[in-house]
Amino acid sequence: MKERYDPHHIEEQWQRTWEQQKLFQAVEDPKRAKYYLLEMFPYPSGKLHMGHIRNYSIGDVVARYKMMQGYSVLHPMGWDAFGMPAENAALEHKIHPAQWTYDNIAHMRSQLKRMGFSYDWDRELATCDVDYYKWEQLIFIRMYERGLVYRKKALVNWCPECQTVLANEQVEGGICWRCHGEVKKKELAGWFFKITAYVEELLEYCDRLPGWPERVITMQKNWIGKSTGAEVAFPLEDGTGAITVFTTRQDTLFGATFMVLAPEHPLVLELCTGKEQEAEVRAFVERVRRQDLIARTAEDMEKEGVFLGTYCINPLTNARMPLYTANFVLMEYGTGAIMAVPTHDQRDFEFAKKYEIPMIVVIRPPGETLDPALMTEAYTEDGVLVNSGPFDGMENRQAMEAIADYLEEKGIGTRAVNYRLRDWGISRQRYWGAPIPIIYCDRCGIRAVREEDLPIVLPLDVGPKENGASPLPDLRAFVETTCPVCGGAARRETDTMDTFVESSWYFDRYTCPDYDQGPLDRERLQYWMPVDQYIGGIEHAILHLLYSRFFTKVLRDLGMVPFDEPFINLLTQGMVIKDGAKMSKSKGNIVDPEDMIKRYGADTTRLFSLFAAPPEKDLEWQEEGVEGGYRFLHRVWRLVYELRGSLSEGPSPIATADLPPELGEMRHKAHKTIKKVTEDIDRFHFNTAIAAIMELVNHLYQTKDSIEATPRTKAVWQEVVEALVVLLSPFVPHIAEELWEALGHKDSVIKAPWPRYDREAITEEEVIVVVQVNGKLRDRLLIPVSAKEEKVKEMALASPKVRRHIEGKEVTKTIFVPKKLVNIVCA
RNA sequence: GCGAGAGUGGCGGAACUGGUAGACGCACUGGACUUAGGAUCCAGCCCGCCUAAAGCGGAUGGGGGUUCAAAUCCCCCCUCUCGCACCA
């Protein structure tokens, strides 16, 4: 054993050993309980960043810990390898996206290996491999057959920068999630996954995911955005039809005084045609359409609209209601038309004030009356109905039900449910993605590729065009094909799939990455899935996590997977921060993991990222803190080095009972540490687990020189130092292996069973009992645990420090908490 | 505006179900060893009174409450972070 700890000397050596011995190979062993630990796979952007290091260090602790506990562990790694950056790099560096991607994968793979993560590399997959995406194409076809995929022309989110369509989930406040550019609206045909077919189940199962963070669940529920109310038909005055609206406030129906249609609503132009307002309406619609998305949905956007020159009839009051079109009504939600109740909806109120539309109060606040002329804002709270015919005097909550019943009876409307969730648009007008397996035939229409004709291989002999556009539409060899039905000439779809499709099922494929009879090998899938613990960033709270849940349900209904939800437990780790801001190139506050490894080694890098903050919180990267971790590892090394002569050769049984006090104390401390570290890892408190190990090391330093080396001492030292090394191993595996070997072991430390604490060793014989007078700490007493309540109270009262404070006072009460405290209350 | 979470030393953070506030680490200060040390070891390190110690008092964003006892529970307020945001 070397005198000094030298991480560079040992780390790569152990990494080679692990690889050669295939120590982390996952095996489907029916005799053992399985544990599937998964971290979100990375996009191969070039090199690892600190966020990756943190994510994967957290995962590795859990994986190694579970392995040592005897679980059969699956801990895989792979690459989310399709996507835009590869195309950008292609243009910038004149390199093919595939080349760029595979180069990056090679580099990042070596970085991951250099960190010593316990992956089963035999299961590695890259989503841009045909062997992966061909199965995705098969799933697409199955979904198409079931009507879960459809094509439609729609007003979609278009990112001019990325030159592609984005799904709703991929637009954050009008900004592209990837390039942060402004998103426009554009009319375009594309393919959609019918995620709305599963909306109820996705919502319902939110409450059956107790292992997920509350806030992720909340975000998903909000995104799904279920609201219940009614659809009501308002007949047009001229009898030519009706306008249907969705409302959650049917209790305010008697107060609806006008109607508003979204500018994109198909009836807008039809209704104003031939009216004197026509020109004005057309101009308004044009103007709103040109407004960009962000401005139009901004909160402070002035509400404006124009009268269509037409009226509806309120089916309950028979009142005439003018029809408007206005910028604040969205075509995407509900029916694209609303009934407006200015007295009880703030938006309608503002609009009505501006255009001087009549207002009728229909809900009276408790003990008050409202005068529309005097109102300065809408009254949106609960109350009692007025001006509502037969419903007058009813509580509005009840009126919601009563009026819904009434509408259904009269055939005017029905109860209805609305969701914000829209179908998932998956067409991307990009090259570097999985081709959508569809063929257009002039005679037979749109046809799915036949299963036996799969895969539709993405041609690699072309790349993005000079202007960034996809080369596929111009590539005759790709586009020109034959119709699977009539055999005549036909064209291929040239859009590729959203890369979120790949990441929606990769975790399933890890269970059987070599399976060639279909997407998934049921037997192996059944053994491993669902994922026991998933770890990744909060930024996927909706996107990837919602899509994956949806996909799981689809695959279940296609008979491919036998479960409802993919991830039992989810841990969302915080960001890595430097100088108070997220690490980013533009801020210039990047710490490159590569530098950290060069300077301190992988173990120190891992140690700091686990010690500096609990996983779910943001982590501030501090160089001094890293130094501290490095120092600690040196300290551990030196401890083992100095004790190397005082250790026994083999294990020998030890009983706490007959040990001299300082040895008993040492065992006591060691076993308490085992307990603490085990409990802390179980609840992901890695920072306090490491702190506990540090305390043990400090204790050993304090006692080591005062203990004589007798055979019995050696046995205790051996036990304690072994425990120390084993406890450290999930966090800093390389140094642990080296020390484990120095302790005389032939097998890897990962083969050592996770230690169990000895109940007897952690039993306290004496405890410190705190004595308070009127809740203030006055003394601490060392008291045998066996001491009875009366005895302890007696001792407390006898303490001079206590007596000083109760002198001359009357003791009214004494609180006794066994093994903890005595509180003497006096007047 | 709505929803969620968080405010603890100079800093990162501890404190599981109310029971010693500040574990552990960083930074800082002093000492030892040393040719030297930014290596290592030991000690100190919330604030105030006091030369110091003992002692006493104060302290977990602010204010109030419950309790023998509150960082922890309840109410009000302030600040910050995140998510949603004209969703009818």
Side-chain angles (χ1 to χ4, degrees):
Chain A
M1 184 187 185
K2 285 224 157 89
E3 186 177 348
R4 269 182 63 84
Y5 167 53
D6 176 11
H8 303 98
H9 185 248
I10 61 171
E11 289 185 348
E12 293 186 64
Q13 206 172 305
W14 281 108
Q15 285 153 13
R16 275 193 297 276
T17 307
W18 295 335
E19 192 153 3
Q20 280 157 13
Q21 297 185 358
K22 292 208 177 283
L23 270 184
F24 310 123
Q25 193 167 45
V27 205
E28 295 80 16
D29 178 354
K31 292 190 292 294
R32 282 192 295 163
K34 68 93 183 180
Y35 193 88
Y36 186 175
L37 181 111
L38 183 67
E39 300 121 34
M40 290 181 187
F41 67 166
Y43 177 78
S45 55
K47 53 185 186 178
L48 294 180
H49 59 244
M50 276 304 173
H52 292 128
I53 298 289
R54 187 180 190 201
N55 189 174
Y56 303 149
S57 295
I58 291 166
D60 204 45
V61 173
V62 180
R64 288 174 178 271
Y65 170 69
K66 291 290 175 184
M67 287 179 202
M68 295 172 83
Q69 283 189 325
Y71 287 89
S72 170
V73 172
L74 173 57
H75 187 206
M77 182 43 72
W79 312 96
D80 188 11
F82 272 137
M84 276 291 294
E87 297 192 49
N88 295 337
L91 294 178
E92 209 176 309
H93 302 117
K94 303 264 180 276
I95 179 173
H96 193 273
Q99 182 71 45
W100 184 83
T101 302
Y102 283 111
D103 286 352
N104 287 349
I105 288 176
H107 183 238
M108 289 169 76
R109 184 194 297 117
S110 75
Q111 287 188 303
L112 289 173
K113 289 189 174 177
R114 184 60 190 81
M115 282 300 292
F117 297 132
S118 61
Y119 300 122
D120 177 356
W121 285 105
D122 292 348
R123 291 176 187 252
E124 178 182 3
L125 59 82
T127 56
C128 62
D129 286 344
V130 184
D131 283 342
Y132 183 79
Y133 71 72
K134 72 177 175 192
W135 299 120
E136 187 165 302
Q137 292 172 332
L138 180 68
I139 294 168
F140 181 99
I141 292 172
R142 292 270 182 276
M143 288 173 72
Y144 185 68
E145 288 163 357
R146 291 226 171 188
L148 290 169
V149 185
Y150 63 97
R151 184 179 161 83
K152 73 170 176 191
K153 197 171 188 187
L155 201 59
V156 294
N157 307 300
W158 176 261
C159 175
E161 175 70 29
C162 299
Q163 291 190 39
T164 191
V165 168
L166 299 172
N168 292 345
E169 291 77 15
Q170 296 156 23
V171 183
E172 297 159 351
I175 300 289
C176 171
W177 74 286
R178 188 189 288 115
C179 73
H180 303 289
E182 260 180 41
V183 173
K184 305 276 184 215
K185 284 283 177 187
K186 187 170 173 175
E187 182 100 7
L188 205 68
W191 290 94
F192 288 81
F193 280 173
K194 220 174 197 172
I195 191 170
T196 53
Y198 289 88
V199 65
E200 261 309 315
E201 194 187 338
L202 287 168
L203 181 63
E204 210 176 290
Y205 272 75
C206 279
D207 295 324
R208 299 200 218 167
L209 293 170
W212 283 41
E214 188 63 39
R215 65 186 194 123
V216 174
I217 293 293
T218 309
M219 282 165 75
Q220 293 220 346
K221 282 184 179 172
N222 285 346
W223 188 259
I224 290 168
K226 179 178 183 173
S227 52
T228 49
E231 273 192 7
V232 187
F234 288 70
L236 288 162
E237 188 187 34
D238 60 12
T240 57
I243 306 284
T244 301
V245 304
F246 171 74
T247 180
T248 55
R249 295 298 306 273
Q250 62 271 17
D251 55 324
T252 63
L253 231 163
F254 285 82
T257 52
F258 61 104
M259 308 276 294
V260 191
L261 305 187
E264 298 87 357
H265 198 287
L267 284 177
V268 167
L269 296 177
E270 199 178 302
L271 289 172
C272 72
T273 304
K275 304 281 183 340
E276 59 176 287
Q277 287 85 357
E278 181 173 349
E280 197 191 345
V281 172
R282 286 187 181 275
F284 177 78
V285 169
E286 265 315 297
R287 187 157 60 81
V288 173
R289 283 198 172 195
R290 267 201 305 274
Q291 261 173 7
D292 68 62
L293 199 66
I294 316 162
R296 192 174 150 194
T297 53
E299 191 184 2
D300 51 6
M301 186 66 187
E302 171 83 14
K303 289 170 187 44
E304 52 177 343
V306 288
F307 179 44
L308 296 181
T310 314
Y311 294 85
C312 272
I313 301 298
N314 184 322
L316 297 190
T317 62
N318 288 324
R320 261 180 124 207
M321 304 167 72
L323 270 166
Y324 285 78
T325 180
N327 59 351
F328 71 96
V329 175
L330 309 173
M331 192 59 217
E332 297 87 38
Y333 189 78
T335 61
I338 62 161
M339 66 172 207
V341 184
T343 44
H344 304 295
D345 181 287
Q346 187 57 26
R347 296 156 296 177
D348 301 350
F349 180 85
E350 287 168 31
F351 195 82
K353 279 275 178 196
K354 182 166 176 177
Y355 294 101
E356 297 175 343
I357 304 169
M359 302 190 196
I360 304 169
V361 169
V362 290
I363 293 177
R364 190 166 49 78
E368 262 183 75
T369 51
L370 287 174
D371 178 353
L374 300 176
M375 288 171 78
T376 54
E377 58 177 7
Y379 177 75
T380 54
E381 308 293 306
D382 289 338
V384 173
L385 265 64
V386 291
N387 297 323
S388 297
F391 302 99
D392 278 356
M394 198 181 269
E395 296 281 343
N396 74 306
R397 296 273 158 187
Q398 290 166 0
M400 282 187 183
E401 295 305 316
I403 293 180
D405 287 341
Y406 182 79
L407 292 171
E408 290 185 336
E409 256 168 54
K410 298 276 172 189
I412 304 165
T414 51
R415 282 187 166 78
V417 177
N418 227 289
Y419 302 91
R420 287 183 40 196
L421 183 74
R422 296 281 88 117
D423 278 336
W424 175 13
I426 58 135
S427 282
R428 296 291 175 271
Q429 294 66 34
R430 303 302 326 169
Y431 162 67
W432 191 233
I436 294 175
I438 285 288
I439 291 169
Y440 300 95
C441 172
D442 289 336
R443 270 156 296 181
C444 311
I446 299 173
R447 296 289 168 169
V449 170
R450 281 179 307 200
E451 188 179 333
E452 56 268 34
D453 294 337
L454 290 181
I456 305 305
V457 179
L458 182 71
L460 295 178
D461 50 357
V462 291
K465 301 205 287 186
E466 291 275 309
N467 63 0
S470 170
L472 297 181
D474 308 330
L475 196 66
R476 291 178 56 188
F478 180 77
V479 176
E480 290 176 4
T481 184
T482 49
C483 171
V485 181
C486 70
R491 288 165 293 114
R492 269 191 207 294
E493 169 67 64
T494 55
D495 281 354
T496 52
M497 283 192 250
D498 182 3
T499 58
F500 279 103
V501 180
E502 282 92 67
S503 54
S504 293
W505 69 288
Y506 77 107
F507 41 87
D508 292 317
R509 184 69 188 174
Y510 274 143
T511 66
C512 51
D514 56 353
Y515 190 61
D516 59 5
Q517 303 300 302
L520 300 166
D521 175 357
R522 228 183 134 94
E523 207 174 312
R524 284 186 278 170
L525 183 82
Q526 190 140 14
Y527 180 80
W528 293 113
M529 282 296 286
V531 172
D532 293 275
Q533 182 67 54
Y534 198 28
I535 308 174
I538 186 77
E539 65 272 18
H540 287 109
I542 296 173
L543 290 160
H544 161 58
L545 290 168
L546 186 65
Y547 294 147
S548 297
R549 293 184 59 214
F550 159 62
F551 229 70
T552 300
K553 293 172 194 303
V554 169
L555 294 179
R556 177 198 62 197
D557 292 349
L558 293 175
M560 292 185 190
V561 309
F563 43 87
D564 300 310
E565 290 283 341
F567 314 124
I568 298 170
N569 295 296
L570 173 69
L571 176 71
T572 49
Q573 106 261 3
M575 291 185 301
V576 181
I577 303 280
K578 179 90 201 301
D579 308 321
K582 184 182 178 172
M583 281 190 188
S584 72
K585 273 195 200 120
S586 58
K587 295 230 173 54
N589 60 351
I590 299 247
V591 177
D592 188 348
E594 198 100 29
D595 293 342
M596 290 296 116
I597 296 171
K598 275 199 195 106
R599 214 170 319 164
Y600 305 102
D603 279 341
T604 299
T605 309
R606 296 166 57 123
L607 185 68
F608 179 73
S609 69
L610 294 164
F611 178 65
E616 67 281 2
K617 283 219 205 169
D618 287 349
L619 180 150
E620 169 84 28
W621 196 269
Q622 280 182 316
E623 189 76 22
E624 298 86 350
V626 183
E627 292 275 358
Y630 193 51
R631 217 151 35 215
F632 169 68
L633 294 183
H634 275 281
R635 213 166 133 79
V636 170
W637 182 278
R638 216 163 36 240
L639 182 73
V640 177
Y641 180 79
E642 285 175 22
L643 288 171
R644 70 194 184 287
S646 327
L647 302 172
S648 101
E649 269 79 73
S652 39
I654 304 149
T656 301
D658 46 55
L659 288 176
E662 67 279 7
L663 279 183
E665 175 64 21
M666 194 162 84
R667 271 201 93 220
H668 176 72
K669 185 78 188 166
H671 282 267
K672 280 191 81 156
T673 308
I674 293 171
K675 183 167 188 281
K676 169 90 175 141
V677 172
T678 306
E679 287 168 356
D680 280 355
I681 294 180
D682 280 333
R683 48 184 197 138
F684 299 115
H685 287 208
F686 308 120
N687 54 335
T688 51
I690 293 167
I693 299 174
M694 287 173 166
E695 279 189 68
L696 177 62
V697 170
N698 290 346
H699 181 84
L700 297 181
Y701 262 91
Q702 266 152 22
T703 47
K704 73 178 161 58
D705 296 330
S706 59
I707 297 174
E708 245 183 291
T710 66
R712 188 159 65 167
T713 323
K714 286 183 170 187
V716 177
W717 272 119
Q718 179 80 19
E719 186 200 14
V720 169
V721 172
E722 282 193 356
L724 168 67
V725 171
V726 172
L727 292 179
L728 272 173
S729 69
F731 306 99
V732 284
H734 309 88
I735 187 175
E737 287 283 23
E738 192 72 17
L739 296 176
W740 189 243
E741 193 181 61
L743 289 171
H745 296 276
K746 298 275 177 286
D747 254 350
S748 164
V749 68
I750 197 101
K751 297 284 182 195
W754 188 254
R756 289 166 180 275
Y757 62 88
D758 176 351
R759 261 181 202 289
E760 200 192 336
I762 61 162
T763 317
E764 317 264 359
E765 276 164 27
E766 290 182 312
V767 285
I768 292 169
V769 169
V770 171
V771 186
Q772 300 179 331
V773 177
N774 287 337
K776 283 204 165 75
L777 176 71
R778 295 304 177 192
D779 201 4
R780 294 160 217 250
L781 304 172
L782 193 60
I783 285 175
V785 281
S786 56
K788 294 276 186 303
E789 175 169 352
E790 283 315 309
K791 173 74 182 161
V792 177
K793 284 183 177 175
E794 205 176 289
M795 289 170 76
L797 287 167
S799 153
K801 291 178 182 174
V802 170
R803 293 184 77 142
R804 245 205 319 267
H805 291 93
I806 54 175
E807 205 104 297
K809 291 176 185 157
E810 190 196 341
V811 175
T812 52
K813 195 168 23 166
T814 315
I815 310 288
F816 175 72
V817 181
K819 297 190 218 175
K820 283 238 167 85
L821 122 169
V822 174
N823 187 10
I824 299 161
V825 186
C826 47

